[in-house]
Amino acid sequence: MIPRTLFSPEHELFRESVRTFLEKDAAPFHAQWEKQGHIDRSLWSKAGEAGMLCSHLPEEYGGLDADFLYSAVVIEEISRLGLTGIGFSLHSDIVAPYLLHYGSEALKHHYLPKLISGEMVTAIAMTEPGAGSDLQGVKTTAVLDGDEYVINGSKTFITNGYLADLVIVVAKTDPKAGAKGISLFLVEADTPGFAKGKRLEKVGMKAQDTSELFFQDVRVPRENLLGQAGMGFAYLMQELPQERLTVAIGALSSAEAALQWTLGYTRERKAFGKAIADFQNTRFKLAEMATEIQIGRVFVDQCMALHLDGKLDVPTAAMAKYWATDLQCKVLDECVQLHGGYGFMWEYPIARAWADARVQRIYAGTNEIMKEIIARAL
């Protein structure tokens, strides 16, 4: 196997602490969280105390000013343990950067320390009942009225939506301007007119609190606009490569974990007097998966290296997201098959990982959209 050279000894020490935290404070409770439809709110505060949230943020806001690899470690360890209910990456690596890059100093000093500590849970409200990957089609509006914006509309499939204390809302400030009419707003969950709908019952990722959000004459101060009005779509495009990279990182770690579970199972399980792993078909399937995962690992690690240097472009991030999630689904399907009937039992981690994986090819932009992005750059 090709050794990984991206992570320093300091990163690996952090990995050990993250793994210990997750094994103690999350893994034993995840099955219960799947039943209740969300993780316990207290886990966010514990993660904040452990330095697992928004570690990349500057020290002036309470962060560690760490590089992206610390975030990658958290993503990998959560995925390796199959803890898909934990929405730390969306909070730290997707929402926080918008606030850091486009928020005023007043907003950053007010909110970022609370994101780092876990006092506030965040979400980003892009998708609508009639607009998914096509963000230009959002119908939610934000109309300037004096010193306030009035927001009206609805969102769906919002990760962290049920527990969220602070939401970035994608809205049209100029409905006639297409992509140039989109803006981003910070909305606190207790703002009058803001309501959370039911937690959505999903095929997988059952412990992740995915909700509908509704906005009826929600008034927010003009200062809650992130950056400039009409620049929201441009901001989204600038931040999406990191979002798609985080998906790819998690997908590869999930596939690696599935292969390890399957290696263990096929060596112990017997059929016709010998271990499943001793059949040539099994050995060849395992060899194919190990090879493809290794190829994916090298590519995704290279994408992380590019990202650290600020050189990960939109098409390459799209390649990583599309290829890694397609591979993840392929590997998990093969692993379920090698588990036989037990692979379809919810008590086995491979079954839950298989169900959890399918949405990866849909969110953060469908893989069909990823291919369109790649094709346009050829």
Side-chain angles (χ1 to χ4, degrees):
M1 297 296 177
I2 298 173
R4 300 182 77 182
T5 58
L6 197 59
F7 296 92
S8 70
E10 289 75 18
H11 292 123
E12 294 304 337
L13 280 173
F14 180 64
R15 186 186 301 278
E16 289 179 20
S17 69
V18 170
R19 186 173 296 178
T20 299
F21 173 88
L22 293 172
E23 288 175 347
K24 174 180 178 288
D25 291 293
F29 312 105
H30 201 263
Q32 177 58 39
W33 295 341
E34 287 178 337
K35 293 176 183 177
Q36 71 184 23
H38 61 86
I39 69 173
D40 283 349
R41 182 64 177 78
S42 61
L43 188 71
W44 285 92
S45 299
K46 292 177 182 177
E49 292 174 10
M52 288 174 56
L53 302 178
C54 306
S55 59
H56 59 89
L57 291 177
E59 294 178 1
E60 64 182 296
Y61 307 115
L64 300 176
D65 204 16
D67 62 40
F68 176 75
L69 294 181
Y70 285 85
S71 291
V73 164
V74 176
I75 297 166
E76 289 183 354
E77 293 308 310
I78 287 173
S79 298
R80 190 167 285 120
L81 290 169
L83 305 176
T84 54
I86 300 176
F88 292 168
S89 182
L90 182 133
H91 172 88
S92 299
D93 308 314
I94 298 173
V95 175
Y98 284 105
L99 187 48
L100 176 66
H101 296 154
Y102 312 114
S104 66
E105 281 302 318
L107 289 175
K108 287 189 279 192
H109 280 284
H110 180 69
Y111 287 117
L112 289 181
K114 297 177 182 179
L115 271 61
I116 294 165
S117 68
E119 180 183 341
M120 293 190 102
V121 175
T122 62
I124 183 165
M126 297 189 202
T127 303
E128 297 183 359
S133 294
D134 180 16
L135 291 175
Q136 298 183 50
V138 299
K139 302 296 184 186
T140 299
T141 59
V143 178
L144 187 61
D145 181 22
D147 289 329
E148 296 178 319
Y149 278 95
V150 183
I151 301 173
N152 281 283
S154 63
K155 303 288 182 176
T156 193
F157 309 145
I158 307 305
T159 302
N160 292 352
Y162 180 73
L163 291 177
D165 305 295
L166 182 69
V167 180
I168 294 177
V169 179
V170 179
K172 286 278 185 73
T173 42
D174 185 350
K176 298 177 182 179
K180 294 182 179 179
I182 292 175
S183 303
L184 308 180
F185 298 90
L186 288 177
V187 182
E188 293 194 27
D190 59 0
T191 307
F194 177 19
K196 298 175 180 178
K198 62 182 180 181
R199 293 193 308 278
L200 300 173
E201 188 173 355
K202 307 182 298 298
V203 171
M205 291 192 167
K206 294 180 179 293
Q208 190 184 88
D209 58 308
T210 308
S211 294
E212 301 170 309
L213 303 178
F214 302 97
F215 306 88
Q216 184 173 0
D217 294 329
V218 174
R219 290 183 169 270
V220 297
R222 190 172 189 165
E223 293 74 26
N224 280 31
L225 170 70
L226 289 177
Q228 300 176 30
M231 289 295 291
F233 189 79
Y235 299 154
L236 292 167
M237 293 305 103
Q238 289 171 29
E239 299 299 328
L240 279 174
Q242 176 163 299
E243 177 179 352
R244 288 163 180 162
L245 177 59
T246 64
V247 175
I249 293 167
L252 253 295
S253 292
S254 171
E256 287 172 338
L259 178 59
Q260 291 305 311
W261 299 333
T262 306
L263 283 169
Y265 179 83
T266 56
R267 287 166 180 165
E268 294 175 4
R269 178 73 173 174
K270 288 183 167 51
F272 304 103
K274 61 180 180 179
I276 299 291
D278 290 336
F279 289 93
Q280 186 184 68
N281 178 71
T282 304
R283 295 202 308 273
F284 282 10
K285 289 292 185 183
L286 293 169
E288 290 168 6
M289 288 188 287
T291 302
E292 292 184 335
I293 290 169
Q294 180 69 82
I295 292 167
R297 166 56 61 211
V298 173
F299 176 51
V300 172
D301 277 6
Q302 180 62 26
C303 287
M304 281 195 269
L306 287 170
H307 189 49
L308 288 172
D309 290 336
K311 296 178 180 178
L312 180 65
D313 60 27
V314 171
T316 306
M319 288 179 180
K321 190 269 178 185
Y322 135 62
W323 200 86
T325 56
D326 268 16
L327 175 64
Q328 177 191 18
C329 288
K330 176 184 175 182
V331 166
L332 283 160
D333 195 65
E334 293 281 15
C335 289
V336 166
Q337 189 71 20
L338 290 174
H339 275 74
Y342 290 103
F344 206 63
M345 297 296 108
W346 196 253
E347 66 189 271
Y348 275 69
I350 194 67
R352 298 195 297 276
W354 175 69
D356 292 345
R358 186 57 184 84
V359 74
Q360 302 264 59
R361 295 167 60 197
I362 296 171
Y363 65 27
T366 66
N367 283 5
E368 289 74 20
I369 295 295
M370 298 304 99
K371 294 173 188 177
E372 187 65 32
I373 292 168
I374 297 161
R376 288 176 183 175
L378 298 178

